[in-house]
Amino acid sequence: MDENKVNGSENIDEEVLSDEELKLRAEMDELARTFQEELDKAKAEEEIRAAEQAKEQEILIQELEDDVRYDAEAPDEIPEEELCECCGEKRRGTKDNPDSPYCRDCERGLRRYPFELLNVLLVLIVLALSVVACVNFAQRVGIYSAAARAQHLEKQKMLYSAYSAYDNTIGLMKDSELNGELVYQRAVRNMLMINVLDDIGTYEKQFNLFELKLPHLKTAYETFKTYEGYRLAQLDGYQVLYEEIQKLEDDDYSKLPYAEIVGRIDALLSVSTEESYKYQESLGDGAEESPSYLVKIDNYDPAMMEFFKFYAAALSEQDKEVQIAHLEKVRAAYPELTWLYGAFLGDLYNKSGRDVEELCKQIEGYNAEDSTADIIRTTNLRINGKRTDAIALAQKNIDKGSPNAYEFYRQQAICYLLDGNIEKAYSAAASGYEDSQYSVQVCEVYAIASIAAGKTDSYDEIAKLFEENGVKMSDEVLAYKDGTVSLEEIFAQGDYDIQ
């Protein structure tokens, strides 16, 4: 009954409560639950913080204990080899890493602060510069590759191929507006070695005079001096010879006053080149027409002048030994300039019966692509009666595309003429003529082969070519045409060739 009363009473209370009172009661209950949840969460977080703090205190106590032991164990004086690499005061090594090059304090500091801001910035700057350098290198890698190829060919003594490679490299540099002085230095040296002299004066403008006085451009400076020595000798030394030629009443160069010419050339060696430069500069009305030389020489080069003494000796038909003496002085002063003396000296050695192999090896030693050495050898074989060997050596050079193929054809034609094989002689002579119509000797051998083969039209073509260009046909050709001299007398006796 009491229970019913209670239940009944509660039911009555709920029934008598208004809706607003019920809503308020529900909100109070919800707040109570939310508060309880936040209180439980705060207690949990506090327990975690308390655990972490306890762990840190434990670590701190342990480090303090380590510090006490560390300091207690440290002697008053620590050997230098055991000092910390960072502070240089405390003993290196830690409990966890006894072999560490740092002491405990420095290692802890490095672990917590491994980089300073400045160091980070420096690293970023270096990385940025590296990226720029890589991009720049990528843009110019073609130039570097071309320059390396040219230098490699030069080291292999393949100077003609190197010239083409340097020309390609210079073209790439111009396209990229890059002035590579060291490339130009090697290029102009290469040009001097193979007698491409016109380009040397052009590329001299790529340098400043003060730069040429610097040690790393010494080769370029010496190259321009050598070039200038030859250029002045060609201007003023040859002028002496030309003036004497103009005095001749006919074209008989054997009447040239050799001794007087040599005396006049020697006189130039005792005077300054200053007047020559003044005269050259007076010829240019505008800047573009003025001489382009940058490097000047104070005096004429004796060795270069010696070459024009040889020229005078050859034209005036001096003894072979006199001519050889002049050329050997040039060879001694400029052994690398084989184009200046090699072919002439080889021809004189052959005609005077001297051994030519040392000279041939010297020529090849400076330029493996120069076929002048094999021209000298071919001529030597022919003169010594080894005509089959001479024909074979000539053919070898023709087959590999020698730029001097016309001369090898000429030597073959002479050999065939002496062997009586007129048909092959004419064919070889015609091939030589087709390869080069600028060699007087090639044309004259072609004329002789035409006479021997009865090819009147071919002979008339050569005669007309000579007449149009004011060139006199040699006495040997005319004498052979008249039947007053034999092939053996022209090619197997005396000078063994057409004069």
Side-chain angles (χ1 to χ4, degrees), residues 33-207:
R33 281 195 302 273
T34 301
F35 176 78
Q36 187 64 44
E37 288 174 0
E38 291 296 326
L39 180 62
D40 293 341
K41 182 178 179 182
K43 287 181 179 180
E45 290 177 354
E46 183 63 27
E47 289 176 359
I48 292 172
R49 279 197 297 272
E52 289 178 350
Q53 187 175 7
K55 185 175 181 180
E56 288 180 358
Q57 289 177 349
E58 182 179 351
I59 292 173
L60 180 59
I61 292 170
Q62 183 64 42
E63 288 181 349
L64 289 172
E65 290 176 354
D66 290 343
D67 290 348
V68 173
R69 286 196 299 272
Y70 179 83
D71 295 336
E73 293 173 359
D76 294 335
E77 294 185 5
I78 302 173
E80 185 175 353
E81 63 273 11
E82 295 182 16
L83 289 174
C84 171
E85 289 185 2
C86 183
C87 66
E89 296 177 356
K90 298 179 181 180
R91 187 186 301 277
R92 64 173 63 185
T94 65
K95 179 181 178 182
D96 295 332
N97 186 11
D99 296 327
S100 173
Y102 309 111
C103 67
R104 172 187 41 73
D105 293 337
C106 290
E107 187 169 274
R108 187 185 305 160
L110 289 171
R111 186 167 59 247
R112 293 179 181 174
Y113 308 102
F115 299 106
E116 293 182 0
L117 179 59
L118 179 60
N119 291 336
V120 173
L121 292 176
L122 288 174
V123 170
L124 292 175
I125 291 171
V126 170
L127 287 173
L129 291 175
S130 298
V131 171
V132 172
C134 289
V135 172
N136 188 49
F137 177 79
Q139 292 174 340
R140 297 180 177 178
V141 68
I143 298 175
Y144 301 144
S145 177
R149 171 172 170 72
Q151 191 172 9
H152 173 73
L153 290 169
E154 190 174 39
K155 288 181 179 179
Q156 297 298 314
K157 307 299 182 183
M158 301 174 68
L159 298 191
Y160 296 136
S161 297
Y163 171 75
S164 297
Y166 277 125
D167 188 56
N168 177 53
T169 304
I170 289 171
L172 293 173
M173 289 195 303
K174 287 181 178 179
D175 291 341
S176 299
E177 299 182 351
L178 179 66
N179 187 33
E181 288 90 349
L182 294 178
V183 174
Y184 280 113
Q185 174 172 245
R186 292 192 292 269
V188 296
R189 186 64 183 173
N190 171 265
M191 293 170 194
L192 180 66
M193 295 276 284
I194 62 173
N195 191 23
V196 186
L197 303 184
D198 291 342
D199 286 351
I200 292 180
T202 301
Y203 290 127
E204 193 173 2
K205 299 176 182 178
Q206 300 299 324
F207 300 87

Side-chain angles (χ1 to χ4, degrees), residues 295-474:
V295 175
K296 296 182 180 181
I297 56 175
D298 298 327
N299 303 100
Y300 293 97
D301 189 318
M304 293 302 183
M305 286 298 198
E306 204 70 37
F307 177 79
F308 290 95
K309 291 181 186 178
F310 152 73
Y311 200 28
L315 289 177
S316 60
E317 299 181 10
Q318 300 301 307
D319 185 79
K320 293 181 183 63
E321 294 302 320
V322 174
Q323 299 178 47
I324 288 172
H326 288 308
L327 287 177
E328 286 185 338
K329 289 180 180 178
V330 178
R331 180 187 182 186
Y334 295 105
E336 71 278 13
L337 303 187
T338 56
W339 57 268
L340 187 59
Y341 64 84
F344 296 112
L345 198 55
D347 186 57
L348 288 167
Y349 279 176
N350 273 325
K351 291 177 179 179
S352 60
R354 296 196 187 189
D355 181 68
V356 298
E357 193 56 31
E358 181 186 351
L359 174 63
C360 291
K361 289 181 178 178
Q362 181 175 347
I363 293 171
E364 292 171 332
Y366 285 108
N367 185 4
E369 294 181 312
D370 188 353
S371 57
T372 300
D374 273 351
I375 291 175
I376 296 171
R377 291 188 180 107
T378 302
T379 305
N380 185 267
L381 289 169
R382 173 176 66 80
I383 289 174
N384 286 284
K386 300 177 181 179
R387 291 192 284 270
T388 301
D389 293 338
I391 291 170
L393 181 57
Q395 191 61 46
K396 178 182 177 181
N397 282 271
I398 292 169
D399 291 342
K400 66 182 182 182
S402 169
N404 297 317
Y406 60 90
E407 178 60 24
F408 288 108
Y409 280 124
R410 192 181 82 88
Q411 292 295 329
Q412 284 185 332
I414 294 172
C415 289
Y416 286 131
L417 285 170
L418 291 173
D419 287 342
N421 195 333
I422 304 304
E423 184 178 347
K424 285 189 174 181
Y426 178 78
S427 176
S431 296
Y433 177 69
E434 290 174 6
D435 190 66
S436 175
Q437 299 179 9
Y438 301 103
S439 169
V440 173
Q441 285 188 315
V442 166
C443 292
E444 292 191 323
V445 168
Y446 183 39
I448 288 178
S450 297
I451 295 169
K455 305 287 186 179
T456 306
D457 291 345
S458 298
Y459 176 82
D460 291 343
E461 181 183 347
I462 299 300
K464 182 180 180 181
L465 178 67
F466 276 35
E467 183 180 358
E468 290 175 347
N469 289 277
V471 179
K472 180 183 176 182
M473 190 78 76
S474 69

